[in-house]
């Protein structure tokens, strides 16, 4: 049986992604790691498990990321801990990888053969405020915290739908279903028009859709 290992570091800023983790829990072969990654013993146990995974395993990461690293939990100073980078991913290169994190398409492209990754994901209103204060004062000037709540829900539920419909059977099917599910939610937003700033939120969803990247050379 193909094992599905999901890593979802504890971080209140990514709690809105919990429905994705819950949906994955329903799949056969599921092994979940949902803990504070500042705990060195639990973190080392995770690394040990990953090093022993069969090549046909599916690895799913949910959390924060950048083009060259994936983050774990935050410390008392709100600094993100680096959980994965070039120094500890070489042994995972042959695993199928789905990474739900910012700029994970770039990270996965450099570290995995078969993967699904995302581009920029603006999910925290503090990111918008920081850009307005330090850069462009008109950055996403339409957006409020409530708009980001709606976007987070639409984003999360699109991925939940794709998992429910494909059971993560293979990356090709999952990628096609992700595209379909995001398109359906965009269309619903534009047709129903009963949500404040629906068009801007639909545009955010389209940006996500446009930057989902998949490589599945073995299929």
């Amino acid at each position: 049986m193909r094992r599905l290992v999901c890593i979802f570091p504890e971080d209140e800023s990514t709690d809105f992604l919990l429905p994705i983790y819950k949906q994955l829990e329903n799949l056969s072969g599921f092994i979940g790691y949902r803990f504070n990654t500042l705990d060195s013993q639990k973190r080392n146990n995770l690394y040990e498990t990953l090093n022993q995974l069969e090549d046909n395993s599916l690895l799913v990461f949910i959390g924060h990321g950048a083009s060259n690293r994936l983050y774990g939990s935050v410390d008392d100073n709100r600094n993100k801990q680096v959980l994965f980078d070039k120094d500890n991913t070489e042994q995972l290169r042959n695993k199928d990888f789905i990474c739900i994190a910012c700029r994970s398409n770039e990270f996965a492209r450099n570290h995995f053969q078969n993967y699904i990754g995302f581009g920029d994901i603006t999910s925290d209103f503090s990111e918008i405020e920081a850009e307005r204060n330090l850069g462009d004062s008109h950055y996403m000037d339409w957006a409020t915290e409530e708009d980001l709540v709606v976007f987070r829900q639409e984003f999360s539920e699109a991925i939940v739908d794709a998992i429910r419909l494909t059971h993560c059977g293979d990356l090709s099917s999952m990628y096609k279903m992700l595209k379909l599910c995001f398109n359906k939610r965009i269309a619903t937003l534009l047709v129903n028009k009963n949500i404040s700033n629906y068009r801007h939120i639909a545009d955010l969803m389209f940006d996500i859709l446009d930057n989902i990247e998949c490589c599945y050379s073995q299929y």
Side-chain angles (χ1 to χ4, degrees):
M1 178 177 61
R2 173 175 161 100
R3 287 207 281 179
L4 190 166
V5 177
C6 181
I7 304 161
F8 185 20
E10 289 182 354
D11 180 344
E12 63 181 14
S13 69
T14 58
D15 282 349
F16 73 96
L17 298 170
L18 187 59
I20 299 172
Y21 185 85
K22 293 291 187 182
Q23 187 65 38
L24 289 169
E25 278 186 316
N26 297 324
L27 302 181
S28 60
F30 176 85
I31 303 171
Y33 289 92
R34 171 77 168 147
F35 65 93
N36 187 323
T37 61
L38 297 176
D39 185 322
S40 59
Q41 182 174 349
K42 290 182 179 180
R43 189 172 67 249
N44 289 334
N45 288 341
L46 166 63
Y47 292 145
E48 184 176 345
T49 298
L50 295 178
N51 288 337
Q52 297 173 1
L53 280 179
E54 300 88 349
D55 278 350
N56 70 338
S57 299
L58 172 61
L59 179 61
V60 180
F61 178 86
I62 305 172
H64 286 297
S67 61
N68 61 347
R69 64 194 63 187
L70 300 177
Y71 294 105
S73 303
V74 297
D75 61 24
D76 292 338
N77 296 317
R78 306 305 299 168
N79 295 316
K80 299 185 185 78
Q81 175 202 43
V82 176
L83 190 61
F84 295 104
D85 59 17
K86 63 181 177 60
D87 295 325
N88 60 2
T89 52
E90 182 59 35
Q91 71 277 14
L92 304 175
R93 186 170 182 82
N94 294 327
K95 314 294 185 291
D96 284 358
F97 185 50
I98 298 176
C99 192
I100 305 166
C102 275
R103 301 183 69 180
S104 56
N105 50 7
E106 297 176 52
F107 178 84
R109 194 184 306 148
N110 293 322
H111 299 285
F112 290 85
Q113 293 181 340
N114 299 315
Y115 63 85
I116 295 174
F118 290 75
D120 285 324
I121 305 169
T122 303
S123 62
D124 194 325
F125 193 69
S126 65
E127 299 172 10
I128 297 175
E129 290 182 315
E131 184 63 31
R132 290 174 181 173
N133 292 333
L134 301 175
D136 180 2
S137 60
H138 298 291
Y139 179 71
M140 291 180 65
D141 54 4
W142 58 268
T144 65
E145 289 194 61
E146 290 73 21
D147 294 322
L148 264 291
V149 169
V150 174
F151 166 71
R152 288 196 296 262
Q153 182 176 352
E154 293 291 329
F155 175 84
S156 178
E157 289 182 356
I159 298 174
V160 167
D161 290 343
I163 294 169
R164 178 174 51 82
L165 292 167
T166 64
H167 302 282
C168 293
D170 61 68
L171 293 185
S172 175
S173 298
M174 183 64 178
Y175 173 66
K176 292 172 184 176
M177 191 58 68
L178 277 171
K179 304 276 276 189
L180 176 62
C181 290
F182 271 88
N183 268 316
K184 288 179 66 175
R185 289 193 169 271
I186 291 168
T188 299
L189 282 166
L190 294 175
V191 170
N192 289 349
K193 303 180 182 179
N194 59 352
I195 294 175
S196 177
N197 288 318
Y198 68 90
R199 180 169 293 279
H200 290 296
I201 296 170
D203 286 343
L204 279 182
M205 290 287 285
F206 180 80
D207 288 342
I208 297 293
L209 168 65
D210 197 42
N211 286 287
I212 299 174
E213 183 175 319
C214 184
C215 179
Y216 44 94
S217 57
Q218 73 180 38
Y219 300 121

